[in-house]
Coordinates of all heavy atoms in Angstrom, one line a residue:
M1 N 12.0 -25.9 -17.6 CA 11.6 -26.4 -18.9 C 12.7 -26.0 -19.9 O 13.1 -24.9 -20.1 CB 10.3 -25.7 -19.3 CG 9.6 -26.4 -20.5 SD 9.0 -28.1 -20.3 CE 8.1 -28.0 -18.8
T2 N 13.1 -27.0 -20.7 CA 14.2 -26.8 -21.7 C 13.5 -26.2 -22.9 O 12.3 -26.5 -23.2 CB 14.9 -28.0 -22.1 OG1 14.0 -29.1 -22.3 CG2 15.8 -28.4 -20.9
N3 N 14.2 -25.4 -23.7 CA 13.7 -24.8 -25.0 C 13.7 -25.9 -26.0 O 14.3 -27.0 -25.9 CB 14.6 -23.6 -25.4 CG 14.2 -22.4 -24.5 OD1 13.0 -22.3 -24.1 ND2 15.1 -21.5 -24.3
G4 N 13.2 -25.5 -27.1 CA 13.1 -26.5 -28.2 C 11.6 -26.7 -28.6 O 10.7 -26.4 -27.7
T5 N 11.4 -27.2 -29.6 CA 10.0 -27.3 -30.1 C 9.3 -28.4 -29.3 O 9.9 -29.5 -29.1 CB 10.0 -27.7 -31.6 OG1 11.1 -27.2 -32.2 CG2 8.7 -27.2 -32.2
K6 N 8.1 -28.1 -28.9 CA 7.3 -29.1 -28.3 C 6.4 -29.9 -29.3 O 6.0 -29.3 -30.3 CB 6.4 -28.5 -27.2 CG 7.2 -28.0 -26.1 CD 6.4 -27.6 -24.9 CE 7.1 -27.4 -23.6 NZ 8.5 -26.9 -23.8
K7 N 6.3 -31.2 -29.1 CA 5.6 -32.0 -30.1 C 4.2 -32.4 -29.4 O 4.2 -32.7 -28.2 CB 6.3 -33.2 -30.4 CG 7.7 -32.9 -31.2 CD 7.5 -32.7 -32.6 CE 8.8 -32.5 -33.3 NZ 8.7 -31.6 -34.5
C8 N 3.2 -32.4 -30.2 CA 1.9 -32.8 -29.8 C 2.0 -34.4 -29.4 O 2.5 -35.2 -30.2 CB 0.9 -32.6 -30.9 SG -0.8 -33.3 -30.5
P9 N 1.5 -34.8 -28.3 CA 1.5 -36.2 -27.9 C 0.6 -37.1 -28.8 O 0.8 -38.3 -28.8 CB 1.1 -36.2 -26.5 CG 0.3 -34.9 -26.3 CD 0.9 -33.9 -27.2
D10 N -0.3 -36.4 -29.4 CA -1.3 -37.2 -30.2 C -0.8 -37.4 -31.6 O -0.9 -38.5 -32.1 CB -2.7 -36.6 -30.2 CG -3.4 -36.7 -28.8 OD1 -3.0 -37.6 -28.0 OD2 -4.3 -35.9 -28.6
C11 N -0.5 -36.3 -32.3 CA -0.2 -36.4 -33.7 C 1.3 -36.1 -34.0 O 1.7 -36.0 -35.2 CB -1.1 -35.6 -34.5 SG -1.3 -33.9 -34.1
A12 N 2.1 -35.7 -33.0 CA 3.5 -35.5 -33.1 C 3.8 -34.3 -34.1 O 4.9 -34.1 -34.6 CB 4.3 -36.7 -33.7
E13 N 2.8 -33.4 -34.2 CA 3.0 -32.1 -34.9 C 3.6 -31.1 -34.0 O 3.6 -31.3 -32.7 CB 1.7 -31.6 -35.5 CG 1.3 -32.4 -36.7 CD 2.2 -32.3 -37.9 OE1 2.8 -31.2 -38.1 OE2 2.4 -33.3 -38.7
E14 N 4.1 -30.0 -34.5 CA 4.6 -28.9 -33.8 C 3.6 -28.2 -32.9 O 2.5 -28.1 -33.3 CB 5.3 -27.9 -34.7 CG 6.1 -26.8 -34.0 CD 6.6 -25.7 -35.0 OE1 6.8 -26.1 -36.2 OE2 6.8 -24.6 -34.6
M15 N 4.0 -27.8 -31.7 CA 3.1 -27.0 -30.8 C 3.7 -25.6 -30.7 O 4.9 -25.5 -30.4 CB 3.0 -27.7 -29.4 CG 2.4 -29.1 -29.6 SD 1.9 -29.8 -28.0 CE 0.3 -29.0 -27.7
V16 N 2.8 -24.6 -30.8 CA 3.2 -23.3 -30.8 C 2.9 -22.6 -29.4 O 1.8 -22.8 -28.9 CB 2.5 -22.5 -31.9 CG1 2.9 -21.0 -31.9 CG2 2.7 -23.1 -33.2
E17 N 3.8 -21.8 -28.9 CA 3.7 -21.2 -27.6 C 2.6 -20.1 -27.6 O 2.6 -19.4 -28.6 CB 4.9 -20.7 -27.1 CG 4.8 -20.1 -25.7 CD 6.2 -19.7 -25.1 OE1 7.2 -19.8 -25.7 OE2 6.1 -19.1 -24.0
G18 N 1.9 -20.0 -26.6 CA 0.9 -18.9 -26.5 C 0.5 -18.8 -25.1 O 1.1 -19.3 -24.1
F19 N -0.6 -18.1 -24.9 CA -1.3 -18.1 -23.5 C -2.7 -17.9 -23.6 O -3.2 -17.5 -24.6 CB -0.6 -17.1 -22.6 CG -0.7 -15.7 -23.1 CD1 -1.8 -14.9 -22.8 CD2 0.2 -15.1 -24.0 CE1 -2.0 -13.6 -23.3 CE2 0.1 -13.9 -24.5 CZ -1.0 -13.1 -24.1
I20 N -3.4 -18.3 -22.6 CA -4.9 -18.1 -22.5 C -5.2 -16.7 -21.9 O -4.6 -16.4 -20.8 CB -5.5 -19.2 -21.6 CG1 -5.1 -20.6 -22.1 CG2 -7.1 -19.1 -21.7 CD1 -5.8 -21.2 -23.2
L21 N -6.0 -16.0 -22.5 CA -6.4 -14.7 -22.0 C -7.7 -14.8 -21.3 O -8.7 -15.2 -22.0 CB -6.4 -13.7 -23.1 CG -6.3 -12.2 -22.7 CD1 -5.0 -11.9 -22.0 CD2 -6.4 -11.3 -24.0
D22 N -7.8 -14.6 -20.0 CA -9.0 -14.6 -19.3 C -9.7 -13.3 -19.4 O -9.1 -12.2 -19.1 CB -8.9 -14.9 -17.9 CG -8.7 -16.4 -17.6 OD1 -9.0 -17.2 -18.6 OD2 -8.3 -16.8 -16.5
M23 N -11.0 -13.2 -19.8 CA -11.7 -12.0 -19.8 C -12.3 -11.9 -18.4 O -13.0 -12.7 -17.9 CB -12.9 -12.1 -20.8 CG -12.4 -12.4 -22.2 SD -11.1 -11.2 -22.8 CE -12.1 -9.8 -23.1
A24 N -12.0 -10.8 -17.8 CA -12.5 -10.5 -16.4 C -13.3 -9.2 -16.4 O -13.2 -8.4 -17.4 CB -11.3 -10.4 -15.4
Y25 N -14.0 -9.0 -15.4 CA -14.9 -7.8 -15.3 C -13.9 -6.6 -15.3 O -13.1 -6.5 -14.4 CB -15.7 -7.9 -14.0 CG -16.7 -6.7 -13.9 CD1 -17.8 -6.7 -14.7 CD2 -16.4 -5.7 -13.0 CE1 -18.7 -5.6 -14.6 CE2 -17.3 -4.6 -12.9 CZ -18.4 -4.6 -13.7 OH -19.3 -3.5 -13.6
G26 N -14.0 -5.7 -16.3 CA -13.2 -4.5 -16.3 C -11.9 -4.7 -17.0 O -11.0 -3.8 -16.9
G27 N -11.6 -5.9 -17.6 CA -10.3 -6.0 -18.2 C -10.0 -7.5 -18.5 O -10.8 -8.4 -18.4
T28 N -8.8 -7.7 -18.8 CA -8.3 -9.1 -19.2 C -7.2 -9.5 -18.2 O -6.5 -8.7 -17.7 CB -7.7 -9.2 -20.6 OG1 -6.7 -8.2 -20.7 CG2 -8.8 -8.9 -21.7
L29 N -7.2 -10.8 -18.0 CA -6.2 -11.4 -17.1 C -5.4 -12.5 -17.8 O -6.0 -13.3 -18.5 CB -6.9 -12.0 -15.9 CG -7.6 -11.1 -14.9 CD1 -8.4 -12.0 -13.9 CD2 -6.6 -10.3 -14.1
V30 N -4.1 -12.5 -17.6 CA -3.3 -13.6 -18.0 C -3.3 -14.6 -16.8 O -3.1 -14.2 -15.7 CB -1.9 -13.2 -18.3 CG1 -1.0 -14.4 -18.6 CG2 -1.9 -12.2 -19.6
P31 N -3.6 -15.8 -17.1 CA -3.8 -16.7 -16.0 C -2.5 -17.0 -15.2 O -1.5 -16.9 -15.7 CB -4.4 -18.0 -16.6 CG -3.9 -17.9 -18.0 CD -3.9 -16.5 -18.4
R32 N -2.8 -17.4 -13.9 CA -1.6 -17.8 -13.1 C -2.0 -19.1 -12.4 O -3.2 -19.3 -12.1 CB -1.3 -16.7 -12.0 CG -0.8 -15.4 -12.5 CD 0.6 -15.6 -12.9 NE 1.3 -14.3 -13.1 CZ 1.3 -13.6 -14.3 NH1 0.6 -14.2 -15.3 NH2 1.8 -12.5 -14.4
W33 N -1.0 -19.9 -12.2 CA -1.2 -21.1 -11.4 C -0.9 -20.8 -10.0 O 0.2 -20.3 -9.7 CB -0.3 -22.2 -12.0 CG -0.4 -23.5 -11.3 CD1 -1.3 -24.5 -11.4 CD2 0.4 -23.9 -10.2 NE1 -1.1 -25.5 -10.6 CE2 0.0 -25.2 -9.7 CE3 1.5 -23.3 -9.5 CZ2 0.6 -25.9 -8.7 CZ3 2.1 -24.0 -8.5 CH2 1.6 -25.3 -8.0
I34 N -1.8 -21.1 -9.1 CA -1.6 -20.9 -7.7 C -1.5 -22.2 -7.0 O -2.5 -23.0 -7.2 CB -2.7 -20.0 -7.0 CG1 -2.9 -18.7 -7.9 CG2 -2.4 -19.6 -5.6 CD1 -1.8 -17.8 -7.8
K35 N -0.6 -22.5 -6.1 CA -0.5 -23.7 -5.3 C -1.6 -23.8 -4.3 O -2.0 -22.8 -3.7 CB 0.8 -23.8 -4.6 CG 1.1 -25.1 -4.1 CD 2.5 -25.2 -3.4 CE 2.8 -26.5 -2.8 NZ 4.1 -26.5 -2.1
G36 N -2.1 -25.0 -4.2 CA -3.1 -25.3 -3.2 C -4.6 -25.1 -3.7 O -4.8 -24.9 -4.9
R37 N -5.5 -25.1 -2.8 CA -6.9 -24.9 -3.1 C -7.3 -23.4 -3.0 O -6.8 -22.8 -2.1 CB -7.8 -25.8 -2.2 CG -7.5 -27.2 -2.4 CD -8.2 -28.1 -1.3 NE -8.7 -29.2 -2.0 CZ -10.0 -29.5 -2.2 NH1 -10.9 -28.7 -1.7 NH2 -10.4 -30.6 -2.8
P38 N -8.3 -23.0 -3.8 CA -8.8 -21.6 -3.7 C -9.5 -21.3 -2.4 O -10.3 -22.1 -1.9 CB -9.7 -21.4 -4.9 CG -10.1 -22.8 -5.2 CD -9.0 -23.7 -4.8
E39 N -9.1 -20.2 -1.7 CA -9.8 -19.8 -0.5 C -10.5 -18.5 -0.9 O -9.9 -17.6 -1.4 CB -8.8 -19.6 0.6 CG -8.0 -20.7 1.1 CD -6.8 -20.3 1.9 OE1 -7.1 -19.4 2.8 OE2 -5.7 -20.8 1.7
K40 N -11.8 -18.4 -0.4 CA -12.5 -17.2 -0.8 C -12.0 -16.0 0.1 O -11.8 -16.2 1.3 CB -14.0 -17.4 -0.5 CG -14.6 -18.2 -1.7 CD -15.8 -17.4 -2.3 CE -16.2 -17.9 -3.6 NZ -17.4 -18.8 -3.4
S41 N -11.9 -14.8 -0.5 CA -11.6 -13.7 0.3 C -12.5 -12.6 -0.1 O -12.8 -12.4 -1.2 CB -10.1 -13.2 0.0 OG -10.0 -11.8 0.3
F42 N -13.1 -11.9 0.9 CA -14.1 -10.9 0.6 C -13.6 -9.8 -0.3 O -14.2 -9.3 -1.1 CB -14.6 -10.3 2.0 CG -15.6 -9.3 1.8 CD1 -16.9 -9.6 1.5 CD2 -15.3 -7.9 1.9 CE1 -17.9 -8.6 1.3 CE2 -16.3 -6.9 1.8 CZ -17.6 -7.3 1.4
W43 N -12.3 -9.4 0.0 CA -11.8 -8.3 -0.8 C -11.3 -8.6 -2.2 O -11.3 -7.8 -3.1 CB -10.7 -7.6 0.0 CG -11.3 -7.0 1.3 CD1 -11.0 -7.6 2.5 CD2 -12.1 -5.9 1.5 NE1 -11.7 -6.8 3.5 CE2 -12.3 -5.8 2.9 CE3 -12.6 -5.0 0.5 CZ2 -13.1 -4.7 3.4 CZ3 -13.4 -4.0 1.1 CH2 -13.7 -3.9 2.5
E44 N -10.8 -9.8 -2.3 CA -10.0 -10.1 -3.6 C -10.7 -11.2 -4.4 O -10.2 -11.5 -5.4 CB -8.6 -10.6 -3.2 CG -7.8 -9.5 -2.6 CD -6.5 -10.1 -1.9 OE1 -5.6 -10.5 -2.7 OE2 -6.5 -10.3 -0.7
G45 N -11.8 -11.7 -4.0 CA -12.4 -12.8 -4.7 C -11.8 -14.1 -4.2 O -12.4 -14.8 -3.3
V46 N -10.7 -14.5 -4.8 CA -10.0 -15.6 -4.3 C -8.6 -15.2 -3.7 O -7.9 -14.4 -4.3 CB -9.8 -16.6 -5.4 CG1 -8.9 -17.8 -5.0 CG2 -11.2 -17.2 -5.9
K47 N -8.4 -15.7 -2.5 CA -7.1 -15.3 -1.9 C -5.9 -16.0 -2.6 O -5.9 -17.2 -2.8 CB -7.2 -15.8 -0.5 CG -6.5 -14.8 0.5 CD -6.1 -15.4 1.8 CE -7.3 -15.4 2.8 NZ -6.9 -16.0 4.1
A48 N -4.9 -15.2 -2.9 CA -3.7 -15.7 -3.6 C -2.4 -15.2 -3.1 O -1.4 -15.7 -3.3 CB -3.8 -15.5 -5.1
K49 N -2.6 -14.1 -2.2 CA -1.3 -13.5 -1.7 C -0.5 -14.4 -0.9 O -1.1 -15.2 -0.1 CB -1.7 -12.3 -0.9 CG -1.9 -11.1 -1.7 CD -1.7 -9.8 -0.9 CE -2.0 -8.5 -1.7 NZ -3.3 -8.0 -1.6
G50 N 0.8 -14.5 -1.0 CA 1.6 -15.3 -0.2 C 1.7 -16.8 -0.6 O 2.4 -17.5 0.0
K51 N 1.0 -17.1 -1.7 CA 1.1 -18.4 -2.2 C 2.0 -18.6 -3.4 O 2.3 -17.6 -4.1 CB -0.3 -18.9 -2.7 CG -1.3 -18.9 -1.5 CD -2.6 -19.7 -1.9 CE -3.5 -19.8 -0.7 NZ -4.5 -20.8 -0.9
E52 N 2.5 -19.8 -3.6 CA 3.3 -20.0 -4.8 C 2.5 -19.6 -6.1 O 1.4 -20.1 -6.2 CB 3.7 -21.4 -4.8 CG 4.7 -21.7 -6.0 CD 5.1 -23.2 -6.0 OE1 4.9 -23.9 -5.0 OE2 5.6 -23.6 -7.0
C53 N 3.1 -18.8 -6.9 CA 2.4 -18.3 -8.1 C 3.3 -18.4 -9.3 O 4.4 -17.9 -9.3 CB 2.0 -16.8 -7.8 SG 1.1 -16.0 -9.1
R54 N 2.7 -19.0 -10.4 CA 3.5 -19.2 -11.6 C 2.7 -18.7 -12.8 O 1.5 -18.9 -12.8 CB 3.9 -20.6 -11.7 CG 4.9 -21.1 -10.7 CD 5.2 -22.5 -10.8 NE 6.0 -23.0 -9.7 CZ 7.3 -23.0 -9.7 NH1 8.0 -22.6 -10.8 NH2 8.0 -23.3 -8.7
S55 N 3.4 -18.2 -13.7 CA 2.7 -17.8 -15.0 C 2.4 -19.1 -15.8 O 3.1 -20.1 -15.6 CB 3.5 -16.9 -15.8 OG 4.8 -17.5 -16.2
V56 N 1.5 -19.1 -16.6 CA 1.0 -20.3 -17.3 C 1.3 -20.1 -18.8 O 0.8 -19.1 -19.4 CB -0.5 -20.6 -17.1 CG1 -0.9 -21.8 -17.9 CG2 -0.8 -20.8 -15.6
E57 N 2.0 -21.0 -19.4 CA 2.3 -20.9 -20.9 C 1.5 -22.1 -21.5 O 1.5 -23.2 -21.0 CB 3.8 -21.1 -21.2 CG 4.6 -20.0 -20.8 CD 5.9 -20.5 -20.0 OE1 6.5 -21.4 -20.6 OE2 6.2 -19.9 -19.0
T58 N 0.8 -21.8 -22.5 CA 0.0 -22.8 -23.2 C 0.4 -23.0 -24.6 O 0.7 -22.1 -25.3 CB -1.5 -22.4 -23.2 OG1 -1.9 -22.1 -21.8 CG2 -2.4 -23.4 -23.8
Y59 N 0.6 -24.3 -24.9 CA 1.1 -24.6 -26.3 C -0.1 -25.2 -27.1 O -0.9 -25.9 -26.5 CB 2.3 -25.6 -26.2 CG 3.6 -25.0 -25.7 CD1 3.7 -24.7 -24.4 CD2 4.5 -24.6 -26.7 CE1 4.9 -24.1 -24.0 CE2 5.7 -24.0 -26.2 CZ 5.9 -23.8 -24.8 OH 7.0 -23.2 -24.4
R60 N -0.2 -24.9 -28.3 CA -1.2 -25.3 -29.2 C -0.7 -26.1 -30.4 O 0.2 -25.6 -31.0 CB -2.0 -24.1 -29.6 CG -3.2 -24.5 -30.5 CD -3.9 -23.3 -31.1 NE -4.8 -23.7 -32.2 CZ -4.4 -24.0 -33.5 NH1 -3.2 -23.8 -33.8 NH2 -5.3 -24.4 -34.3
C61 N -1.2 -27.3 -30.6 CA -0.8 -28.1 -31.7 C -1.3 -27.5 -33.0 O -2.5 -27.1 -33.1 CB -1.4 -29.5 -31.5 SG -1.1 -30.5 -33.0
V62 N -0.5 -27.4 -34.0 CA -0.8 -26.7 -35.2 C -1.8 -27.6 -36.1 O -2.5 -27.1 -36.9 CB 0.4 -26.3 -36.1 CG1 1.2 -25.2 -35.4 CG2 1.2 -27.5 -36.4
K63 N -1.8 -28.8 -35.7 CA -2.6 -29.7 -36.5 C -4.0 -30.0 -35.9 O -5.0 -29.8 -36.5 CB -1.9 -31.1 -36.8 CG -2.6 -32.0 -37.8 CD -1.8 -33.2 -38.0 CE -2.5 -34.2 -38.9 NZ -1.9 -35.5 -38.9
C64 N -4.0 -30.5 -34.7 CA -5.3 -30.9 -34.0 C -5.8 -29.9 -33.1 O -7.0 -30.0 -32.6 CB -5.1 -32.3 -33.4 SG -4.2 -32.3 -31.9
G65 N -5.0 -28.9 -32.7 CA -5.5 -27.9 -31.8 C -5.5 -28.2 -30.3 O -6.0 -27.4 -29.5
L66 N -4.8 -29.4 -30.0 CA -4.7 -29.7 -28.6 C -3.9 -28.6 -27.8 O -3.0 -28.1 -28.3 CB -3.9 -31.0 -28.5 CG -3.6 -31.5 -27.0 CD1 -4.8 -32.1 -26.4 CD2 -2.5 -32.4 -27.0
L67 N -4.5 -28.2 -26.6 CA -3.8 -27.3 -25.8 C -3.1 -28.0 -24.6 O -3.7 -28.9 -24.0 CB -4.7 -26.2 -25.2 CG -5.4 -25.4 -26.3 CD1 -6.4 -24.4 -25.6 CD2 -4.4 -24.5 -27.1
R68 N -1.8 -27.6 -24.3 CA -1.2 -28.1 -23.2 C -0.6 -26.9 -22.4 O 0.1 -26.1 -23.0 CB 0.1 -29.0 -23.6 CG -0.3 -30.4 -23.9 CD 0.9 -31.2 -23.8 NE 0.7 -32.4 -23.1 CZ 1.6 -33.4 -22.9 NH1 2.8 -33.2 -23.3 NH2 1.2 -34.5 -22.3
S69 N -0.8 -26.9 -21.1 CA -0.3 -25.7 -20.3 C 0.8 -26.2 -19.4 O 0.8 -27.2 -18.8 CB -1.5 -25.2 -19.5 OG -2.5 -24.7 -20.3
Y70 N 1.8 -25.2 -19.3 CA 2.9 -25.5 -18.4 C 3.0 -24.3 -17.4 O 3.0 -23.1 -17.9 CB 4.2 -25.6 -19.2 CG 4.2 -26.7 -20.1 CD1 3.7 -26.6 -21.4 CD2 4.8 -27.9 -19.7 CE1 3.7 -27.7 -22.2 CE2 4.9 -29.0 -20.6 CZ 4.3 -28.9 -21.9 OH 4.4 -29.9 -22.7
A71 N 3.1 -24.6 -16.2 CA 3.3 -23.5 -15.1 C 4.7 -23.6 -14.6 O 5.0 -24.3 -13.7 CB 2.3 -23.7 -14.0
V72 N 5.6 -22.9 -15.3 CA 7.0 -23.1 -15.1 C 7.6 -22.0 -14.4 O 8.3 -22.1 -13.3 CB 7.8 -23.4 -16.4 CG1 9.3 -23.5 -16.1 CG2 7.2 -24.5 -17.1
T73 N 7.3 -20.7 -14.8 CA 8.0 -19.5 -14.4 C 7.3 -18.9 -13.2 O 6.1 -18.7 -13.2 CB 8.1 -18.5 -15.5 OG1 8.5 -19.2 -16.7 CG2 9.1 -17.4 -15.2
E74 N 8.1 -18.7 -12.1 CA 7.4 -18.0 -11.0 C 7.1 -16.6 -11.4 O 7.9 -15.9 -12.0 CB 8.4 -18.0 -9.7 CG 8.3 -19.3 -9.0 CD 8.8 -19.2 -7.6 OE1 8.2 -18.4 -6.9 OE2 9.7 -19.9 -7.3
A75 N 5.9 -16.1 -10.9 CA 5.5 -14.8 -11.4 C 4.7 -14.1 -10.3 O 4.1 -14.8 -9.4 CB 4.7 -14.9 -12.7
G76 N 4.5 -12.8 -10.4 CA 3.7 -12.1 -9.5 C 2.2 -12.3 -9.8 O 1.9 -12.9 -10.8
L77 N 1.3 -11.7 -9.0 CA -0.1 -11.8 -9.2 C -0.5 -10.9 -10.4 O 0.0 -9.7 -10.4 CB -0.9 -11.5 -8.0 CG -0.7 -12.6 -6.9 CD1 -1.4 -12.1 -5.6 CD2 -1.4 -13.9 -7.3
P78 N -1.4 -11.2 -11.3 CA -1.7 -10.4 -12.4 C -2.9 -9.6 -12.2 O -3.6 -9.6 -11.1 CB -2.0 -11.5 -13.5 CG -2.6 -12.5 -12.7 CD -2.0 -12.6 -11.3
G79 N -3.3 -8.8 -13.2 CA -4.5 -8.3 -13.4 C -5.0 -7.2 -12.4 O -4.3 -6.3 -12.3
I80 N -6.1 -7.4 -11.8 CA -6.7 -6.4 -10.9 C -5.8 -6.0 -9.7 O -6.0 -5.0 -9.1 CB -8.1 -6.8 -10.5 CG1 -8.0 -8.2 -9.7 CG2 -9.1 -6.9 -11.6 CD1 -9.4 -8.6 -9.1
W81 N -4.8 -6.9 -9.4 CA -3.9 -6.5 -8.4 C -2.7 -5.7 -8.9 O -1.8 -5.3 -8.2 CB -3.3 -7.8 -7.8 CG -4.4 -8.6 -7.2 CD1 -5.2 -8.4 -6.1 CD2 -5.0 -9.9 -7.7 NE1 -6.1 -9.3 -5.9 CE2 -6.0 -10.3 -6.8 CE3 -4.6 -10.7 -8.7 CZ2 -6.7 -11.5 -7.1 CZ3 -5.3 -11.9 -9.0 CH2 -6.4 -12.2 -8.1
G82 N -2.7 -5.5 -10.2 CA -1.7 -4.6 -10.9 C -0.7 -5.5 -11.7 O -0.1 -6.3 -11.1
Y83 N -0.5 -5.1 -12.9 CA 0.4 -5.8 -13.7 C 1.9 -5.4 -13.4 O 2.1 -4.3 -13.1 CB 0.2 -5.6 -15.2 CG -0.7 -6.5 -15.9 CD1 -2.1 -6.2 -16.0 CD2 -0.3 -7.8 -16.2 CE1 -3.0 -7.1 -16.6 CE2 -1.2 -8.7 -16.8 CZ -2.5 -8.4 -16.9 OH -3.4 -9.3 -17.5
Ligands
ZN101 ZN1 -1.9 -32.6 -32.3

């Protein structure tokens, strides 16, 4: 993803970078995008180890509030697995 200001597709206003914070039992999680479909794992809830994992950046339009998410950067697993 190239740098530079992102524009809202609806109203062409500036979009500001941020991220969605997931509230999880016992803490907060920054979301990750995982390739494929979720598989249940008894120990971890949803199995994600060994899968392609990317951090999610979410941009918010300053005018209409539209959110757009980009999963660009490869990242490790967050949260309860250890930041
Ligand atoms: Zn907008």
Side-chain angles (χ1 to χ4, degrees):
M1 192 63 54
T2 50
N3 281 331
T5 331
K6 291 193 166 29
K7 297 278 185 208
C8 175
D10 288 343
C11 53
E13 286 294 325
E14 187 186 332
M15 299 191 83
V16 182
E17 183 177 355
F19 60 88
I20 309 276
L21 198 61
D22 277 346
M23 304 302 289
Y25 186 74
T28 55
L29 292 171
V30 174
R32 291 288 191 272
W33 178 88
I34 310 288
K35 191 179 180 184
R37 298 173 137 247
E39 297 164 44
K40 282 238 168 102
S41 154
F42 180 76
W43 297 107
E44 296 164 77
V46 172
K47 216 199 271 183
K49 276 200 182 100
K51 296 193 177 193
E52 185 182 343
C53 182
R54 293 174 186 271
S55 61
V56 177
E57 292 134 46
T58 302
Y59 289 78
R60 179 187 168 277
C61 173
V62 294
K63 191 177 176 193
C64 72
L66 176 79
L67 297 177
R68 276 199 138 181
S69 294
Y70 297 85
V72 179
T73 316
E74 278 201 59
L77 291 171
I80 53 172
W81 301 289
Y83 270 100

